[in-house]
Amino acid sequence: MEVLTMPDCGQELRFGTSLTPSAADPAAVVEFALVAEWAGLDLVTVQDHLYQPRFLDTWTLLTWIAARTERTVSRETRAD
């Protein structure tokens, strides 16, 4: 039996989550980022829906998350 392996392309494997940037409770979104960090996840992503009034501004939210976390990497994900 042949064992297949996936190449790592020189990158380490990271795990993360995508947060919904709901404007209804901004503190809860940041709290989810803190929980993700506590759980050992490497990444927190936030979708960026321009002109969506129900969502927080992505770059401001990422700044807030970065200020509250110690090691989690935050990044934007575009929703087209």
Side-chain angles (χ1 to χ4, degrees):
M1 172 168 65
E2 182 180 355
V3 176
L4 299 176
T5 61
M6 178 175 277
D8 64 8
C9 299
Q11 302 293 317
E12 72 179 70
L13 188 60
R14 294 182 178 189
F15 293 93
T17 187
S18 179
L19 303 177
T20 301
S22 174
D25 192 356
V29 180
V30 176
E31 190 66 30
F32 281 127
L34 291 168
V35 169
E37 182 176 53
W38 174 83
L41 297 179
D42 303 302
L43 301 166
V44 169
T45 64
V46 178
Q47 57 182 312
D48 187 7
H49 280 286
L50 299 175
Y51 313 112
Q52 176 55 268
R54 296 178 308 150
F55 291 157
L56 299 165
D57 174 72
T58 301
W59 292 105
T60 303
L61 177 59
L62 289 175
T63 302
W64 191 9
I65 290 171
R68 294 285 313 277
T69 58
E70 293 182 21
R71 53 166 283 285
T72 303
V73 175
S74 303
R75 65 182 271 268
E76 155 194 44
T77 56
R78 287 251 181 227
D80 297 319

